[in-house]
Amino acid sequence: MTEQRPGEHMAAEISQQPAILAGIVERQAEIAEVAEAISKRPPRFALLAARGSSDHAALYAKYLIEVLLGLPCGLVSPSTATLYGARPDLRDVLFITVSQSGGSPDLIEVTETARRQGALTVSVTNTPESPLRAAAELGVDIGAGLEKAVAATKTYSATLLSLYLLIDAVRGGKGEDAEKLGELAQQTLDGSEEGVQRAVDRYRFVDRVLTTGRGYSYATALEGSLKLAETSYLAARAYSGADLLHGPVAAVDGETAVLAVTSQGHGVGAMQEVLEAVGKRGADVLAVGSASADVPAALRIGVAPSAEEVAPILEILPIQRIALGLSLARGGDPDSPRGLLKVTKTR
């Protein structure tokens, strides 16, 4: 039997993403059926429940719901129901639970509770036969296939796209901005290889990384921070660009690496002041995104241009490869980070 090389699964799963994204676009009619069922019961507001990488996907969905649907939206704390027994009135509420495995007990329980309390519940998962799907009234199958590496890569981007197509369809859209995402993802992976290697060489000995972004890209900053922490064991923190200037910037110095997610749209203008501030404090800035050339940075990795609403699906791709490369350069195995399991069961 051939011995598995460190990072083999993560590398393969990163490379599979263009085909997976293209496949989801081809299946968008299935997602549109779920959206139609939601449209028949127009919600007053929406709530999202998730953990880990799925929580970052849920934050992305929160921006989509508030901007594209004009609905108030919040991220729930499952423990209010599972530990404290809270039973809010959720009539006329859209309750979306995001979980790649569909097996987290707290997410299953909070979904069951929301359904009993009158919410229209929707699961978004990579495991259509999971307990979570059984608990929810409606379900979206992201269809990413089996993910062997502990660190989520293809399931994360597939979740983002599935959420975008769902929310876009609720407003009557046809997913036009996502139509070419498979091709754009391949362009992004191919075009960022050299920049990713430069980033790995530059930051392989760094101990402290701060990630930041605004708007839709804030979800990418959070997911990037998680990937760096769980695969390379870096002391990584993520902040919204706005929050970063409210205090944490004081901890930034010449020993700090800053990964800034900067894609074309409203968010990049808001990041200018942030990156100027961290630059003045001596931070080494790596800008990733379709607007990386437009901001002050020591190193830039471009991402194929797209509509701002779907940019996070592309932004995360080179960051995943940076996490993979740093882990390997530091002697780790990103397929099996120490102390982590694929499914974390919390209550």
Side-chain angles (χ1 to χ4, degrees), residues 10 151 226-233 323-324 326-327 332-334 337 340:
M10 186 175 179
L226 175 61
K227 285 292 155 288
L228 293 169
E230 68 183 355
T231 61
S232 300
Y233 317 136
L324 168 66
L326 283 175
S327 178
D333 181 1
L340 295 183

Side-chain angles (χ1 to χ4, degrees), residues 56-70 156 160 164 167 171 177 212-223 240 261-268 306-313 315-316:
H56 306 151
L59 178 65
Y60 166 69
K62 181 178 185 292
Y63 275 89
L64 290 174
I65 290 169
E66 291 181 347
V67 176
L68 303 186
L69 301 184
Y156 179 73
L160 294 188
Y164 170 76
I167 294 162
R171 67 166 176 170
D177 287 335
T212 184
R214 288 293 303 269
Y216 296 110
S217 295
Y218 180 36
T220 309
L222 286 163
E223 177 63 9
S240 155
V261 189
T262 55
S263 286
Q264 294 171 0
H266 295 86
V268 65
S306 68
E308 186 176 8
E309 292 83 358
V310 297
I313 302 166
E315 294 163 351
I316 195 59

